[in-house]
């Protein structure tokens, strides 16, 4: 039985990855930060099958200790300060978690378990003000946020440890990937949740920023499969993971409202407060290498993804309303 260590196990990607690895017969150890409030909602259905260990990307010794105790075969570093707008308000903290946290984990591996295979969650936000379209593994980076800058550091320090110390260390340059487990602060979930609340009469408007920003959106459940495949290869390499299709926030909104029989123009308000200081206008990835070498391809298309998210939020709010009515 292989042992996998996942940082960020309580997040969207961590929960889907933990499910996948459990299905494949892994012993799964989820790394969680000590907190006065626990948020295990995304892993509640599998929590009894996981082992949870306390460690923190800000604390070098805790990472060394968790790697020493569990001796993992595979380590997936998914933890980060991962919300782009927050990175302008907390740029130093973002750098500590999202950049230097990667170095601390790599150091723990180098010192304690150098034969472990390491996956780093890189991001399409590293491309930022894109130099070419679509973006590939060879496209130069031009990040447009403190988050994107921190991810570039995390990406290159992973390359550096691979080349300097011979670690099996890879980065997945994942484009936007969503699901019903996405955080409410992300635009896809903000839209699906807002549409559900409007449909049920709980809200009357949805305030959004730039409707013309375009992204390459896929399903998180598909993307964690690519992470696992990267660590099963004979040689370490970095891969772009994307659908190869681009859609605007406006299209996202149209599909979501259309799915519940409403006209989005009657409810959506564009609010300058939600515009980024420096916008990333167009991201679309070329995952040819992942398709060719990993045999990976997405299984959920854009419309299916948005409708899945709206349906999940509708069902959740309907449960909430039923519960409230019988209390």
């Amino acid at each position: 039985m292989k042992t996998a260590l996942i940082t960020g196990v309580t997040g969207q990607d961590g929960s889907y990855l933990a499910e996948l690895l459990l299905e494949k017969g892994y012993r799964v150890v989820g790394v969680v930060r000590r907190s006065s409030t626990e948020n295990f909602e995304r892993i509640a259905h599998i929590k009894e099958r996981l082992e949870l260990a306390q460690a923190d990307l800000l604390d070098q010794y805790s990472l060394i200790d968790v790697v020493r105790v569990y001796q993992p075969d595979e380590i997936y570093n998914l933890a980060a300060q991962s919300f782009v707008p927050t990175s302008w308000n907390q740029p130093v903290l973002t750098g500590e978690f999202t950049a230097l946290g990667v170095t601390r984990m790599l150091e723990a591996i180098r010192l304690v378990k150098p034969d472990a295979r390491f996956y780093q969650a890189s991001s399409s936000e590293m491309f930022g003000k894109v130099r070419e379209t679509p973006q590939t593994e060879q496209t130069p980076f031009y990040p447009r946020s403190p988050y994107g800058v921190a991810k570039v550091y995390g990406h290159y320090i992973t390359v550096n440890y691979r080349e300097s110390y011979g670690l099996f260390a890879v980065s997945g340059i994942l484009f936007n990937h969503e699901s019903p487990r996405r955080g409410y602060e992300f635009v896809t979930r903000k839209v699906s949740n807002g549409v559900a609340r409007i449909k049920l009469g709980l809200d009357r408007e949805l305030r959004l920023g730039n409707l013309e920003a375009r992204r390459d959106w896929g399903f998180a459940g598909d993307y964690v499969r690519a992470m696992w495949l990267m660590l099963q290869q004979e040689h370490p390499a970095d891969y772009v993971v994307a659908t190869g299709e681009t859609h605007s926030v406006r299209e996202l909104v149209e599909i979501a409202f259309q799915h519940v029989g409403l006209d989005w123009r009657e409810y959506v308000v564009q609010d300058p407060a939600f515009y980024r200081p420096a916008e990333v206008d167009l991201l679309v990835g070329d995952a040819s290498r992942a398709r060719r070498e990993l045999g990976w391809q997405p299984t959920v298309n854009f419309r299916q993804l948005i409708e899945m998210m709206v349906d999940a939020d509708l069902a959740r709010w309907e449960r909430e309303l039923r519960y409230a009515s019988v209390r």
Side-chain angles (χ1 to χ4, degrees), residues 147 206 275 298 309 323:
Y147 169 79
L206 176 61
Y275 278 71
M309 293 178 68
Y323 177 71

Side-chain angles (χ1 to χ4, degrees), residues 1-6 26-29 31 51 53 62-75 105 108-117:
M1 180 187 291
K2 284 186 178 179
T3 297
L5 189 75
I6 305 173
Y26 279 68
R27 174 197 187 198
V28 179
V29 180
V31 174
E51 296 179 49
S62 70
L63 297 177
I64 290 172
D65 193 50
V66 79
V67 173
R68 178 186 59 78
V69 169
Y70 291 98
Q71 294 289 305
D73 301 284
E74 298 173 4
I75 297 172
M105 181 56 85
I109 296 169
R110 182 181 73 84
L111 293 170
V112 180
K113 193 70 167 61
D115 62 336
R117 296 191 166 202

Side-chain angles (χ1 to χ4, degrees), residues 245 247 251 254-256 258-259 300-309:
E245 297 180 5
H247 300 274
E251 289 176 75
E254 287 174 352
I255 290 171
Q258 184 184 70
H259 187 54
V300 177
N301 67 34
F302 181 65
R303 179 175 290 274
Q304 290 170 331
L305 172 65
I306 301 310
E307 291 179 352
M308 172 203 305
M309 293 178 68

